[in-house]
Amino acid sequence: MKIKKQTKYFITIEKSNTVHVTSFVSTTVPHLVMSRVRTELIEDIKKYTTKTDDVEQPRILLIGQIKAGKSSFFNSVNSVFKGYPIFQATACEKETSMSKYCRTYAVYDSKSGKTLPFTFCDIMGLEPYSVGGIHVKDIINVIRGYIPDNYKFNPMEAKEVCKTCTEQPSLADKVHCIVYVIDASVVNLLEKELQNKFDEIHEEAHRLGIPQLVLLAKVDLTCNIVKDDLTKVYQSRYIHEKVIKVSQMVGVPVSCILPVKNYWWETELDMKVDILTLKALQQILRQSEAFFDEIKQRGKSREAPPLTCEGISCRLSNS
C-alpha cells in the first residue's frame, strides 16, 4: 500500500520583516526550522549592547489601556528566557489596573544566570476617563526619569511633595524606548479621551526624541485564521486592517507595529509564540539605538527638563 505524504507549511520571519512561505514534506523539518529561527533571535538579543557608556540596559516603558497585555508581554519575554511560562508581573482581567506601582523588571538568562541587556518599566494602565488609571503627566514624569522603581501611584490623592522622586535623573534613569500595548480586539472601540491621552504622550515622546512602537496584542483572539495558525498573522487581511488603524490612531509607522500573542494561561512554551515575542523584542532594541545614536551625534547626554512634575499623584517641589 502506498503511503501518502502530508505536506506541511511554515512561515519564516526574516530580519527584514518579510515573510517567506515554505512547504515541507517531512513533519520534523518545520519544528527544526522554527527552533533555528528561535535560537538565532535569542542569541542576537543576548549580544545586544548600547552605544553609550552611560547606559548598560535601555529602559523600555510599556504603556497601554487596562487589560491590554502590558504585564503579560513582560511575562512572555521572561518565559522565553526562563524556558517555561512564568508570571512574575501581575496580570489580571479585572476592570481596574493591577499595576499600582512603577516597577522596573530585569530578565535573566536561565543558562548563564546573567541579566539580559534591557529592562522593562511597567506602570499603571490608562483608562479612558479623567478619574481612574494613571495620569498622562505621571507617565511623562516616568519618561523623564523622575519616578523611581517601586513608586506607588495613587491618582485619587494629590501629594504636595514627592520626597522619593529623583530630582536630577541621569540618562540611565530615563526611558529610552516607549512601547504602546494595544488590544487588537478593541481597536475600533477606543474612546476619544483615551485617544487624546495617546496623542499627548506621543507628542512629548517625539519632542524628547524617544522611539515609539506598538505591540498589537491578542491577535489570536481577534482573527480566527490566526487563532488556528499563528504563523499566518502576517497574511491575515483583518490583522493588516487593524495595523493600519492603529498606525493612524497612535501616529507610528506601520513598520513599528508588531503583532504578538502573550502567554497568560499556558503551562508549556510554544515556539510560534516565542518567535513573535522575540521578533518584537529584537525590533524594540533596534529602535532603542536611534535614541543613543542621536545622543552620540550630539556628543553629550540629553539634559533633563526643569524639575516640574505636575501630575496629580506625584507633585514635586521646585525648591
Side-chain angles (χ1 to χ4, degrees):
M1 182 178 67
K2 187 176 181 180
I3 299 175
K4 184 179 180 181
K5 295 182 179 179
Q6 184 179 8
T7 302
K8 296 286 185 178
Y9 295 91
F10 174 64
I11 296 177
T12 57
I13 307 171
E14 301 295 340
K15 292 185 177 180
S16 60
N17 228 21
T18 57
V19 179
H20 300 278
V21 183
T22 310
S23 63
F24 298 96
V25 175
S26 172
T27 58
T28 59
V29 174
H31 178 84
L32 295 175
V33 174
M34 283 193 290
S35 179
R36 177 180 60 81
V37 172
R38 180 181 182 275
T39 300
E40 289 177 355
L41 286 168
I42 288 175
E43 293 305 315
D44 185 67
I45 290 168
K46 286 181 181 180
K47 291 186 294 185
Y48 171 82
T49 56
T50 62
K51 295 181 179 180
T52 173
D53 295 333
D54 297 326
V55 180
E56 292 184 2
Q57 298 172 312
R59 285 170 60 87
I60 303 163
L61 175 62
L62 302 175
I63 300 174
Q65 192 177 11
I66 292 169
K67 300 194 301 182
K70 298 185 290 84
S71 300
S72 295
F73 178 70
F74 162 75
N75 287 333
S76 296
V77 172
N78 200 17
S79 297
V80 173
F81 288 96
K82 285 287 187 183
Y84 52 85
I86 185 170
F87 306 101
Q88 180 180 349
T90 304
C92 188
E93 291 299 308
K94 289 186 176 181
E95 296 298 327
T96 57
S97 179
M98 292 295 294
S99 301
K100 303 294 184 182
Y101 294 82
C102 177
R103 290 296 314 273
T104 300
Y105 293 105
V107 179
Y108 296 88
D109 179 22
S110 61
K111 293 183 178 179
S112 65
K114 294 181 180 179
T115 306
L116 293 170
F118 56 87
T119 58
F120 285 106
C121 186
D122 188 20
I123 59 176
M124 196 174 186
L126 283 170
E127 290 189 28
Y129 312 107
S130 298
V131 179
I134 190 171
H135 291 268
V136 171
K137 290 179 180 178
D138 288 337
I139 294 176
I140 292 174
N141 290 328
V142 173
I143 293 171
R144 292 174 174 176
Y146 294 125
I147 307 299
D149 183 32
N150 217 35
Y151 178 83
K152 185 176 182 179
F153 296 104
N154 192 346
M156 304 304 295
E157 290 185 10
K159 298 183 179 181
E160 295 182 358
V161 179
C162 176
K163 296 181 180 179
T164 63
C165 292
T166 306
E167 294 187 3
Q168 295 182 335
S170 66
L171 179 61
D173 294 322
K174 302 174 186 179
V175 167
H176 310 114
C177 185
I178 294 174
V179 178
Y180 303 98
V181 184
I182 296 179
D183 183 345
S185 65
V186 299
V187 169
N188 297 327
L189 302 176
L190 295 180
E191 291 85 347
K192 182 62 177 178
E193 188 166 349
L194 187 63
Q195 172 72 66
N196 293 337
K197 291 182 178 182
F198 278 121
D199 291 342
E200 191 174 345
I201 298 167
H202 176 77
E203 182 179 353
E204 178 65 13
H206 181 71
R207 187 182 73 82
L208 296 173
I210 300 174
Q212 303 172 75
L213 300 94
V214 173
L215 292 180
L216 192 62
K218 304 182 182 181
V219 291
D220 57 312
L221 302 180
T222 307
C223 175
N224 289 330
I225 294 175
V226 177
K227 182 179 180 180
D228 294 335
D229 187 354
L230 194 60
T231 63
K232 293 183 178 180
V233 65
Y234 286 103
Q235 293 179 312
S236 168
R237 179 178 298 179
Y238 189 70
I239 296 297
H240 178 70
E241 291 173 355
K242 295 288 185 182
V243 168
I244 299 297
K245 177 71 175 179
V246 170
S247 176
Q248 296 170 346
M249 181 183 73
V250 182
V252 302
V254 170
S255 60
C256 291
I257 300 175
L258 311 168
V260 294
K261 176 191 181 304
N262 292 326
Y263 289 114
W264 63 283
W265 65 274
E266 294 84 352
T267 57
E268 299 294 337
L269 296 183
D270 182 332
M271 271 197 285
K272 289 175 285 187
V273 175
D274 291 355
I275 288 173
L276 282 183
T277 301
L278 290 166
K279 187 62 182 176
L281 179 58
Q282 182 188 57
Q283 293 298 325
I284 290 169
L285 293 176
R286 288 177 176 178
Q287 291 299 317
S288 298
E289 284 305 294
F291 184 81
F292 299 119
D293 283 341
E294 186 170 346
I295 291 174
K296 187 176 180 179
Q297 290 173 5
R298 291 187 178 193
K300 62 179 181 179
S301 300
R302 287 180 175 272
E303 294 296 331
L307 187 60
T308 56
C309 183
E310 301 174 353
I312 293 178
S313 69
C314 172
R315 299 187 184 276
L316 292 175
S317 64
N318 292 321
S319 58

